[in-house]
Amino acid sequence: MPINNDVQLGKNVKIFHPDLVNLYGCIIGDDTKVGTFVEIQKDVTIGSRCKISSHSFLCEGVVLEDEVFIGHGVMFTNDLYPRATNEDGSLKTDDDWYTIKTLVKRCASIGSNATILPGVTIGEKAIVGSGATVTHNVPDYAIVVGVPARVIGDVRDRQNLQISASSL
């Protein structure tokens, strides 16, 4: 798996195992860390001081602002109705795809194994719990969990927040 020559790497980007990632056509900001077995596709922009944990997939159209944390195995999607072929049975090409953009705002954190559907915005400093499926926008500072993800708290109150199995 390569790091293609069309990848724009900022200063001090750390890619822990460059031979075990697949990066092409993307922009990665200064001081960002990229784990093993990560794929970052074309038209993805990652800000500065982000952390992308192993086994995560950032597909075309994803934008991460600065200081975003992506846990292990996080999956982004960019098509609400994916198909391999067109109506006439012909195999789809790049010209047949319509990419839906996704935005993750500054300092947000996405827990391991979360799935992010296309077209959503995850707000500034929001936290997406592990295993959540995000189907709608997440407000700034919100804590969301579950399938589909729903708000259970506010990070500004987290010292008083007790997350239990019953809230999931």
Side-chain angles (χ1 to χ4, degrees), residues 13 27-33 45-51 63-68:
V13 170
I27 300 169
I28 301 176
D30 297 345
D31 302 308
T32 289
K33 297 178 182 181
T45 301
I46 297 173
S48 297
R49 297 173 309 284
C50 293
K51 182 177 180 188
V63 174
L64 306 183
E65 292 183 348
D66 295 342
E67 301 176 38
V68 169

Side-chain angles (χ1 to χ4, degrees), residues 64-152:
L64 306 183
E65 292 183 348
D66 295 342
E67 301 176 38
V68 169
F69 172 81
I70 303 295
H72 300 280
V74 171
M75 295 292 140
F76 286 85
T77 62
N78 61 10
D79 188 343
L80 286 172
Y81 305 101
R83 295 280 188 241
T85 58
N86 295 306
E87 290 297 320
D88 65 3
S90 62
L91 194 60
K92 285 192 175 224
T93 67
D94 282 349
D95 294 334
D96 299 315
W97 294 101
Y98 173 73
T99 299
I100 302 171
K101 306 278 186 180
T102 298
L103 173 63
V104 181
K105 290 187 174 180
R106 184 179 159 279
C107 294
S109 294
I110 301 176
S112 295
N113 294 313
T115 300
I116 314 302
L117 270 60
V120 301
T121 295
I122 296 174
E124 186 170 320
K125 295 189 179 181
I127 296 176
V128 175
S130 294
T133 298
V134 177
T135 60
H136 293 89
N137 291 344
V138 175
D140 292 348
Y141 304 102
I143 300 170
V144 300
V145 299
V147 179
R150 65 191 179 286
V151 176
I152 63 161

Side-chain angles (χ1 to χ4, degrees), residues 34-51:
V34 178
T36 308
F37 304 116
V38 168
E39 179 166 334
I40 304 173
Q41 295 185 332
K42 67 180 181 178
D43 193 29
V44 171
T45 301
I46 297 173
S48 297
R49 297 173 309 284
C50 293
K51 182 177 180 188

